């Protein structure tokens, strides 16, 4: 990522943690995962969040004291697609089963760069990850941007994802906040990587919103 600038580097580094959130992606739970009420509530939350289909999203990625914000919308009713405006002048676009990053400044004459992963940016991925946590538990109630929510938390190994291992994150804490319909409205994932503490805070709202993505030039 040398030469991409701090903004683009922070974006992609933040996605390292996010890209490891999907687990198997089929809703199965590892042995030793969530049990009892936690397992029941989180499975219901996966169904409710998936059924919502789309939402607006905001995120703050903090890596070793540097902060990058993103804002946009995602649709996960089929093959995930959407657009996140990241930092100053950057974009992350999911389209056609691919993930593209538009850099704030061209590098080697290229403005758009294709990246691996990205599908696990959809919110239910974090719920599945928390389902694998043996210590998943109710952590109370809270008001999130005016919405009364239930807080659930746990700690999981991040070893499922090679990209997360490459960032040096061996384990992470996962906190989620669910609204009255069981939909995920806030998530915090935190761990420690090679560069220091990593923390990603994400909000979802406006479920069912229409999502548009820009055309990505395959050659640039």
């Amino acid at each position: 990522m040398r030469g991409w600038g701090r903004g683009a580097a922070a974006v992609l580094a933040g996605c390292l943690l996010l890209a490891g959130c999907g687990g198997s992606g089929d809703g199965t739970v590892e042995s030793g995962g969530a049990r009892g009420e936690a397992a029941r509530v989180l499975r219901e939350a996966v169904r409710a969040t998936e059924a919502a289909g789309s939402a607006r999203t905001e995120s703050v990625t903090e890596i070793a004291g540097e902060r990058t914000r993103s804002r946009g919308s995602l649709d996960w009713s089929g093959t995930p697609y959407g657009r996140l405006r990241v930092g100053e002048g950057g974009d992350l676009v999911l389209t056609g089963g691919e993930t593209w990053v538009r850099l704030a400044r061209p590098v080697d004459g290229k403005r758009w760069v294709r990246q691996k992963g990205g599908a696990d940016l959809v919110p239910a991925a974090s719920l599945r990850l928390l389902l694998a946590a043996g210590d998943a538990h109710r952590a109370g109630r809270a008001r999130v941007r005016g919405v009364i929510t239930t807080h659930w938390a746990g700690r999981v190994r991040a070893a499922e994802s090679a990209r997360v291992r490459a960032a040096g994150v061996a384990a992470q804490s996962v906190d989620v906040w669910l609204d009255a319909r069981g939909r995920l409205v806030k998530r915090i994932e935190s761990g420690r990587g090679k560069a220091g503490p990593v923390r990603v805070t994400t909000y979802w709202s406006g479920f069912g919103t229409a999502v548009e993505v820009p055309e990505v030039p395959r050659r640039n």
Side-chain angles (χ1 to χ4, degrees), residues 69-155:
R69 296 182 178 274
S70 68
R71 181 191 300 266
S73 57
L74 294 171
D75 186 301
W76 55 87
S77 58
T79 300
Y81 67 93
R83 178 186 190 180
L84 302 178
R85 296 181 179 274
V86 189
E88 297 181 5
D91 277 291
L92 189 152
V93 175
L94 276 66
T95 181
E98 298 178 329
T99 302
W100 292 81
V101 173
R102 186 175 71 86
L103 307 177
R105 294 183 300 275
V107 175
D108 296 330
K110 293 185 177 181
R111 171 85 61 175
W112 290 92
V113 179
R114 185 166 61 180
Q115 294 293 307
K116 295 181 179 179
D120 289 334
L121 291 171
V122 301
S126 294
L127 299 170
R128 291 194 177 98
L129 183 64
L130 189 52
L131 270 166
D135 67 343
H137 62 280
R138 183 191 292 267
R141 293 173 65 82
R143 187 180 295 273
V144 175
R145 296 185 170 182
V147 177
I148 298 298
T149 66
T150 304
H151 177 192
W152 295 83
R155 188 165 177 80

Side-chain angles (χ1 to χ4, degrees), residues 24 93 111 116 164 179 210 219:
S24 64
V93 175
R111 171 85 61 175
K116 295 181 179 179
V164 173
D179 67 12
R219 293 184 178 182

Side-chain angles (χ1 to χ4, degrees), residues 184-210:
L184 180 61
V185 296
K186 179 182 177 181
R187 172 194 67 202
I188 296 178
E189 292 177 277
S190 56
R192 190 169 189 86
K194 294 176 181 177
V198 177
R199 181 182 177 94
V200 182
T201 304
T202 307
Y203 297 89
W204 288 272
S205 62
F207 291 101
T209 190

Side-chain angles (χ1 to χ4, degrees), residues 4 11-12 38 55 63 66 99 110 112 115 135 175 203 216:
W4 287 24
V11 169
L12 297 178
I63 302 174
E66 292 192 15
T99 302
K110 293 185 177 181
W112 290 92
Q115 294 293 307
D135 67 343
D175 291 77
Y203 297 89
V216 175

